Amino acid sequence: MLFEPSLATDVLVCKTSQGLSGSKTRLQLGQGAGYPSVILLEMVTHLLWSFASASHVWESICVPEERTLLVVCWTLPWQPPVTMGIPVFILAGLLVHFVFLVSIFDIYFSSPLVHGMTPQQTPLPPPAKRLVLFVADGLRADSLYELDSNNTSHAPYLRGILENSGSWGISHTRVPTESRPGHVALIAGFYEDVSAVAKGWKENPVEFDSVFNESKYTWSWGSPDILPMFAKGASGDHVYTFCYTAESEDFGAQDASKLDTWVFDHVKSFFNSSRSNQTLFSALNEEKVVLFLHLLGIDTNGHAHRPNSREYKENIRKVDEGVKEIASMLESFYGNDGKTAFILTSDHGMTDWGSHGAGHPSETLTPLIVWGAGVNYPQKVTSQFFEDNFLKEWKLENLKRLDVNQADIAPLMASLIGVPFPLNSVGTLPLEYLNNSAHFKAESMFTNAVQVLEQFKVKMNQKKATTLSFLFTPFKPLSDSEQISFLKKTRLYIQQQKYDEAVSLCKTLINLALEGLSYYHTYDRLFLGLSIAMGFVGWTTYVILVIVKTHTNLTKTVQSSNKESTVLLYSFTFVGMMITFFLLIQTCPWTYYIYCLLPVPVWYAVMRELHVIQNLAANLWSLPISQSLGFILISIVGIEILVFSFFYRSTLTVGLLVFAGWPVITQLWVQAKTTTSIWTVLCALLAVFPLMPVVGREPNIPLVIAAGLLTLLISGFSLASSCKSENKYRNNEDMKVHFYQMLSIALSTYVVSNTHNSLKNKQGLPVFNQVISWTTLVSSSVLPLLSPTFLFPRLFSILLSLMATYLLLSTGYEALFPLVLSGLMFVWIHMEQEALQHYGLSLKPKLAVFNFAYATDITQFRQLHLDDIRRSFFFVFFIVTAFFGTGNIASVNSFDPASVYCFLTVFSPFMMGGLLVLKVVIPFVLVSCAFEAVQVTTQLSSKSLFLIVLVISDIMALHFFFLVKDYGSWLEIGTSISHYVLVMSLTIFMMLMNGLAQLLTTKRLELSRRTKHHAT
């Protein structure tokens, strides 16, 4: 047949030959009027686009002569056309997954804060004119209260305060135990919502009220990560901050306690300077003044040296001395007027291994010592009971311990200096700390109750305004009449001087109002959750239908009538209009429209493929019931194992041991005994890692060094073996790249060892080590592109480059993980070849000479086989193992900066977080590259595998959607989010990693001109 292109002077000749697998067509663009190759390429592109709908797949383009272009096209056996075009399908998939991903932040993590409440203030005069708040960042309760071996305290001044002149207890933080949410709870009185998860440490996701904002003046000294947050949220210009530079927060510094010394020195000089500044002197003598000293040294020393270290305890002693000096100076400055109240507490504690963020008691139990104006003196008791049994250990069993929730400290501060309670505070005033009249306590408690009730009323009115009256279900325990009854009774009790009854009633009212706030905040959660779930199920069903229709022979084409299609279209359009009308009359947010309308087009697409469902059902029905049920059961168990592995890492061990036995179950071991034996051993070795503790708890640098030396040994053996065999595919340039990679491994091993010793000796991070680390990181993405594109040399080059970076980010046993994982991946490629041959799907290619650069022969792509589902499941399982095999996700959520010390030691949350994420991604890249090799060597279409992985990940995502938490520890909340986001991102990750894997495996940078060697 003859095609005439748009350029009349060129002739396009087409010869067709028939074959068993389809027809092969050679098209030759003849030499015409000397048109440049760009025009010829445009013509070919046009032809490719024209032929795309005719099930043509183009094999390769080569230019044997200057102006002659050959194109080889394969026409595959005819298949039913895809309902959507590939670009449309990909865009629809990205849109749907983006909506599913964003929905959790709207459904679970929208801000609970409301605005528009009236400030509430106790009508009686307060006991104090000013308040001094000391927050010792990262200070554990036991570290402050315990006695050393000589029965002396680490903080003798504070010990004397709680024994002689103040009240004490434990402040129970509600995790996330991080600096930002801890300070918000202390100073604003509410537990920061999880919408702050994505905002880091420094930015306000929403504006909020605080004790500082309600004060007349607030002066604060300390970290640039904390102070600006409260100044930014303050109305007017009365909150002043004095911060040291961010670079001062160095985990590798000689002495982090200098941060606290800086604060104490600047406070002293500030007050000294006020004596010669009349305006400042007058302001300092006003009422309702707050002085805030943020002391970061203890936290920094805890991260760097651990809480049981000499440095941490010495820092506590320095803080104690500083507090004593500041208290003495203030009493002198104010002429001992007895109008200063002091509070010392902490934002969070710290684990024994120097991290925080989770819910361990060492992180959630923080000290609270209050003294000065309006504060109770120590109360002697004969006995008291607490479950933690710390009292005897601390020798404080005879002094009354007054425990509070962290958010209770904000109303305590407000009550002491007589400012309105912070508008969004959910704390309950701890009356036992107050040394005041019963009348004052009752009035303060009533103010507290009204302030919380105000939030409830605003939240209720907001929800009532956006819900149809006949659909609105109020919170019955606090109906309008119940609210009035509570307030009237309480006021009557106060008038009758029944103060205890009034206080008891106020506490009940506060508890009910907080329950009501939670009720209205989660009011639409079930409705929105069901909408998203319907979208999930519909989309997953549609993807399964696309797989069945376009990549299998299970269905036959049935032409649906136009009448049926029109009825279906009008039906779904009507449903969409009804949903829109329902949301419109309720004035719902615009995001509700997306969540509720998304299932409509998705299910419309499913219903259009009804004949595919009928054909599939008929095919399944023709199979033996035991076979169908067995397949479904195995699929369910497999996906549930994947889901369980996100919560219990030991599940991965069980899965890997099952994988070890896979060749025996399928009789593969008969044809490949050696390969099977290696596979079993490596599966068993990899199965050990999920049983190990989460990384970062106890550094084990010798193991990291051992991993580096082992990598060098393997790479040396590989080089020797390559030279011995006189590999014709390698040349001097390739050897240079290999040597440079070995040098990178050696340098990384040295840097890890040297940096650890340097930090241990408090000499900071050496500049040379830092330069080597960053250079290694940058070069690791380039070096693989300089190596040969033959299968195993390229994969080994990728391993060496990434291993150099991974060593720098390792602190213990996890350094061995990529080595074992890569070994298993190499064997997996061989095992899949054996499986392919076992099922008679293809001849076994020679992997030794397999070249990625010439492996894109689409003519060899085949239809899906049932075993390909197993292949895709293996890939997803290995991806999950790569993520959770060493518990890296846990170490990202429960922040521990030790992994990044080779790169930087100055606190930088986003840079450190980025490096920790890179550490998590490196094993992922190794698995993706191996899967790319499996894909091309088993003649699979990446599109078909992508769709199978999409189905697996979406079914998992539906599980995790209902397991997302918006309460509990930072670790639990962060883990539930990261689980859902991880699975939802798996599709996008798969596309990105597939592209990255193709780049890393097929592309080669040419540093100098040399002859290319082709596979034979």
Side-chain angles (χ1 to χ4, degrees):
M1 50 186 173
L2 183 69
F3 294 95
E4 291 189 7
S6 56
L7 300 171
T9 52
D10 281 37
V11 179
L12 180 63
V13 181
C14 180
K15 297 177 184 176
T16 306
S17 59
Q18 298 295 328
L20 289 174
S21 61
S23 61
K24 184 172 182 179
T25 306
R26 291 178 66 84
L27 294 91
Q28 181 168 357
L29 284 167
Q31 297 180 33
Y35 287 99
S37 57
V38 175
I39 295 177
L40 297 179
L41 283 171
E42 286 180 359
M43 292 168 60
V44 172
T45 305
H46 176 73
L47 284 166
L48 288 172
W49 184 255
S50 305
F51 273 64
S53 59
S55 299
H56 286 66
V57 184
W58 296 81
E59 178 187 333
S60 59
I61 297 174
C62 55
V63 186
E65 296 178 21
E66 197 171 308
R67 290 196 300 265
T68 303
L69 190 64
L70 285 178
V71 181
V72 180
C73 168
W74 278 81
T75 307
L76 296 178
W78 187 86
Q79 294 175 352
V82 187
T83 306
M84 285 185 196
I86 294 300
V88 177
F89 180 82
I90 289 174
L91 283 174
L94 287 173
L95 176 66
V96 167
H97 283 82
F98 179 74
V99 171
F100 290 162
L101 181 57
V102 170
S103 66
I104 62 160
F105 294 98
D106 219 5
I107 296 171
Y108 290 94
F109 303 133
S110 57
S111 173
L113 300 190
V114 289
H115 302 283
M117 290 80 68
T118 307
Q120 303 295 321
Q121 187 172 352
T122 307
L124 301 177
K129 289 176 67 176
R130 66 200 71 88
L131 173 87
V132 185
L133 174 63
F134 300 97
V135 177
D137 204 305
L139 177 59
R140 289 163 47 148
D142 58 346
S143 296
L144 181 68
Y145 293 139
E146 70 185 2
L147 303 176
D148 61 20
S149 55
N150 298 323
N151 274 342
T152 57
S153 172
H154 302 303
Y157 173 74
L158 291 170
R159 181 79 178 197
I161 290 288
L162 69 87
E163 287 179 346
N164 303 308
S165 56
S167 293
W168 76 283
I170 286 178
S171 167
H172 295 262
T173 70
R174 183 186 294 181
V175 282
T177 47
E178 299 286 353
S179 291
R180 179 199 162 91
H183 281 88
V184 169
L186 284 170
I187 298 162
F190 70 90
Y191 301 104
E192 192 164 38
D193 63 280
V194 193
S195 64
V197 165
K199 295 287 185 177
W201 278 257
K202 304 177 186 180
E203 190 180 339
N204 288 0
V206 289
E207 297 301 328
F208 55 83
D209 191 25
S210 69
V211 173
F212 294 176
N213 186 43
E214 296 293 352
S215 69
K216 184 89 177 267
Y217 294 105
T218 293
W219 287 275
S220 54
W221 296 264
S223 167
D225 298 326
I226 298 298
L227 306 190
M229 175 170 63
F230 296 99
K232 180 184 173 185
S235 56
D237 185 23
H238 64 282
V239 178
Y240 304 98
T241 61
F242 303 93
C243 307
Y244 38 73
T245 60
E247 290 72 29
S248 304
E249 300 173 22
D250 189 344
F251 296 116
Q254 255 186 335
D255 186 10
S257 64
K258 66 183 181 183
L259 299 174
D260 300 338
T261 306
W262 185 98
V263 170
F264 293 132
D265 289 345
H266 277 71
V267 173
K268 292 174 196 170
S269 62
F270 175 79
F271 273 86
N272 288 334
S273 67
S274 70
R275 297 183 188 276
S276 57
N277 183 335
Q278 189 56 45
T279 308
L280 178 58
F281 187 82
S282 301
L284 283 169
N285 280 279
E286 293 276 2
E287 294 183 346
K288 302 176 182 177
V289 165
V290 177
L291 304 172
F292 171 41
L293 284 71
H294 176 240
L295 308 167
L296 187 62
I298 292 174
D299 181 74
T300 309
N301 267 321
H303 282 305
H305 305 289
R306 309 295 184 252
N308 292 318
S309 65
R310 181 182 57 80
E311 290 83 0
Y312 186 87
K313 292 173 181 176
E314 187 59 37
N315 205 148
I316 294 175
R317 194 176 300 279
K318 287 187 178 179
V319 164
D320 181 66
E321 291 169 0
V323 169
K324 179 181 179 181
E325 290 172 12
I326 295 297
S328 174
M329 181 206 70
L330 290 175
E331 291 296 347
S332 172
F333 182 87
Y334 289 110
N336 295 308
D337 63 355
K339 290 291 183 180
T340 308
F342 297 91
I343 294 179
L344 180 133
T345 187
S346 176
D347 52 349
H348 57 76
M350 188 171 285
T351 61
D352 288 341
W353 50 93
S355 72
H356 55 82
H360 192 274
S362 61
E363 298 166 88
T364 60
L365 303 183
T366 59
L368 175 64
I369 301 176
V370 189
W371 72 100
V375 180
N376 251 336
Y377 288 100
Q379 301 170 52
K380 302 283 185 182
V381 290
T382 52
S383 66
Q384 51 184 333
F385 175 75
F386 287 91
E387 290 182 359
D388 51 37
N389 297 319
F390 281 135
L391 288 170
K392 192 171 183 182
E393 185 183 324
W394 298 338
K395 294 188 168 54
L396 289 170
E397 57 265 47
N398 296 323
L399 290 174
K400 190 167 186 181
R401 170 177 150 186
L402 308 172
D403 282 15
V404 300
N405 291 320
Q406 194 172 40
D408 299 343
I409 296 173
L412 174 62
M413 291 192 289
S415 178
L416 285 170
I417 57 172
V419 298
F421 286 39
L423 293 174
N424 293 110
S425 171
V426 294
T428 303
L429 179 63
L431 294 177
E432 289 184 292
Y433 276 89
L434 295 179
N435 180 17
N436 219 313
S437 65
H439 183 205
F440 180 86
K441 290 180 181 179
E443 285 286 2
S444 297
M445 205 68 200
F446 183 69
T447 304
N448 192 178
V450 172
Q451 169 261 324
V452 177
L453 184 63
E454 280 281 315
Q455 294 179 69
F456 168 80
K457 286 158 73 174
V458 170
K459 193 77 175 176
M460 181 185 70
N461 290 333
Q462 282 180 357
K463 190 49 63 185
K464 206 171 184 177
T466 59
T467 309
L468 294 173
S469 55
F470 67 91
L471 291 175
F472 181 71
T473 309
F475 182 66
K476 290 178 182 175
L478 266 187
S479 60
D480 291 346
S481 57
E482 286 290 331
Q483 292 175 38
I484 294 167
S485 171
F486 267 111
L487 294 175
K488 278 186 175 177
K489 275 185 184 176
T490 308
R491 181 47 64 194
L492 185 63
Y493 281 143
I494 292 174
Q495 288 172 355
Q496 295 173 346
Q497 298 185 4
K498 295 180 178 178
Y499 299 125
D500 290 342
E501 289 87 340
V503 166
S504 176
L505 207 57
C506 286
K507 287 182 179 177
T508 304
L509 180 56
I510 288 171
N511 290 332
L512 285 175
L514 292 175
E515 280 181 38
L517 269 172
S518 176
Y519 171 80
Y520 285 120
H521 183 58
T522 58
Y523 193 83
D524 294 329
R525 185 170 292 180
L526 180 63
F527 164 65
L528 293 175
L530 288 174
S531 296
I532 294 296
M534 284 184 66
F536 257 123
V537 175
W539 172 256
T540 307
T541 306
Y542 180 71
V543 175
I544 292 171
L545 294 178
V546 170
I547 294 171
V548 170
K549 187 175 179 180
T550 59
H551 296 284
T552 69
N553 297 316
L554 294 176
T555 61
K556 55 188 177 186
T557 306
V558 177
Q559 197 68 32
S560 58
S561 67
N562 288 335
K563 186 178 178 183
E564 286 178 3
S565 299
T566 307
V567 170
L568 197 63
L569 178 63
Y570 285 145
S571 301
F572 276 90
T573 304
F574 176 73
V575 171
M577 289 171 66
M578 290 298 295
I579 292 171
T580 305
F581 177 73
F582 177 74
L583 295 173
L584 199 61
I585 58 176
Q586 293 199 95
T587 60
C588 291
W590 64 271
T591 50
Y592 282 34
Y593 289 85
I594 297 174
Y595 304 145
C596 297
L597 288 173
L598 183 64
V600 176
V602 171
W603 279 102
Y604 170 67
V606 171
M607 294 308 294
R608 283 188 64 187
E609 307 298 334
L610 192 59
H611 63 279
V612 179
I613 300 172
Q614 291 167 346
N615 284 339
L616 182 61
N619 273 305
L620 289 174
W621 194 253
S622 65
L623 294 171
I625 294 176
S626 59
Q627 192 175 338
S628 300
L629 288 176
F631 175 72
I632 292 168
L633 184 64
I634 289 170
S635 301
I636 292 171
V637 169
I639 288 174
E640 289 305 315
I641 284 174
L642 285 173
V643 171
F644 265 87
S645 68
F646 277 64
F647 298 98
Y648 308 103
R649 288 169 54 224
S650 55
T651 312
L652 293 172
T653 300
V654 176
L656 285 165
L657 292 176
V658 173
F659 281 12
W662 161 62
V664 178
I665 298 166
T666 56
Q667 299 296 306
L668 274 177
W669 67 278
V670 176
Q671 68 189 58
K673 289 187 170 62
T674 306
T675 310
T676 300
S677 302
I678 299 170
W679 165 268
T680 304
V681 169
L682 287 172
C683 279
L685 275 176
L686 196 63
V688 173
F689 285 92
L691 299 176
M692 304 287 280
V694 171
V695 298
R697 296 201 169 181
E698 287 300 328
N700 194 333
I701 302 303
L703 268 182
V704 182
I705 296 168
L709 294 175
L710 183 59
T711 310
L712 277 174
L713 186 66
I714 294 169
S715 57
F717 178 77
S718 167
L719 187 64
S721 138
S722 177
C723 294
K724 190 177 179 181
S725 63
E726 295 182 356
N727 194 330
K728 64 178 179 178
Y729 303 111
R730 281 185 174 256
N731 54 35
N732 290 335
E733 294 295 327
D734 299 337
M735 293 297 181
K736 285 178 186 175
V737 172
H738 195 101
F739 274 123
Y740 186 81
Q741 290 180 314
M742 289 179 68
L743 179 64
S744 291
I745 296 286
L747 282 173
S748 294
T749 308
Y750 165 77
V751 166
V752 169
S753 174
N754 185 258
T755 300
H756 178 73
N757 291 332
S758 179
L759 294 177
K760 196 174 180 182
N761 298 327
K762 299 183 186 176
Q763 293 170 352
L765 171 60
V767 176
F768 173 77
N769 292 6
Q770 196 170 16
V771 170
I772 292 292
S773 298
W774 286 105
T775 305
T776 303
L777 176 63
V778 173
S779 66
S780 64
S781 58
V782 178
L783 284 175
L785 302 178
L786 300 173
S787 62
T789 52
F790 294 101
L791 192 143
F792 287 113
R794 176 52 69 96
L795 290 180
F796 191 64
S797 177
I798 292 168
L799 169 63
L800 289 182
S801 289
L802 296 179
M803 190 65 189
T805 302
Y806 199 84
L807 284 171
L808 293 168
L809 293 165
S810 299
T811 59
Y813 73 88
E814 80 273 18
L816 294 163
F817 181 70
L819 280 178
V820 180
L821 180 66
S822 295
L824 185 61
M825 293 299 99
F826 287 153
V827 181
W828 183 36
I829 296 167
H830 282 287
M831 289 298 292
E832 291 298 355
Q833 293 306 305
E834 300 294 344
L836 212 61
Q837 200 176 14
H838 181 73
Y839 290 108
L841 296 176
S842 172
L843 294 174
K844 190 174 173 183
K846 294 180 180 178
L847 293 181
V849 294
F850 193 92
N851 195 324
F852 278 115
Y854 307 107
T856 54
D857 187 0
I858 296 182
T859 61
Q860 296 178 10
F861 283 173
R862 57 180 173 78
Q863 293 277 355
L864 281 173
H865 183 266
L866 200 60
D867 193 47
D868 293 323
I869 297 174
R870 189 268 313 156
R871 205 166 270 116
S872 298
F873 177 79
F874 270 33
F875 171 59
V876 177
F877 188 91
F878 286 137
I879 284 292
V880 173
T881 304
F883 267 100
F884 299 113
T886 59
N888 279 325
I889 287 290
S891 67
V892 170
N893 285 326
S894 183
F895 186 73
D896 179 16
S899 292
V900 301
Y901 282 165
C902 289
F903 293 89
L904 74 164
T905 54
V906 175
F907 182 66
S908 174
F910 294 107
M911 183 73 78
M912 288 177 164
L915 287 168
L916 288 172
V917 168
L918 174 65
K919 182 181 179 182
V920 174
V921 167
I922 283 173
F924 195 171
V925 176
L926 294 172
V927 174
S928 297
C929 290
F931 190 58
E932 175 72 12
V934 167
Q935 184 179 295
V936 295
T937 56
T938 56
Q939 302 153 346
L940 276 170
S941 161
S942 58
K943 187 178 75 174
S944 58
L945 284 178
F946 167 69
L947 293 175
I948 296 173
V949 171
L950 186 62
V951 170
I952 294 171
S953 63
D954 280 350
I955 294 171
M956 290 169 64
L958 190 57
H959 278 75
F960 291 120
F961 178 77
F962 291 104
L963 294 172
V964 171
K965 287 186 174 184
D966 61 347
Y967 58 89
S969 77
W970 190 244
L971 187 64
E972 290 168 338
I973 295 167
T975 301
S976 74
I977 295 172
S978 54
H979 286 173
Y980 180 73
V981 171
L982 178 60
V983 178
M984 285 306 300
S985 304
L986 193 58
T987 311
I988 302 166
F989 263 172
M990 167 97 172
M991 293 166 70
L992 292 175
M993 287 297 156
N994 189 42
L996 180 61
Q998 283 186 4
L999 174 72
L1000 287 173
T1001 54
T1002 61
K1003 302 299 178 189
R1004 182 163 190 180
L1005 297 176
E1006 302 291 342
L1007 293 182
S1008 60
R1009 293 182 65 85
R1010 59 176 182 265
T1011 307
K1012 291 185 181 178
H1013 298 277
H1014 294 263
T1016 54

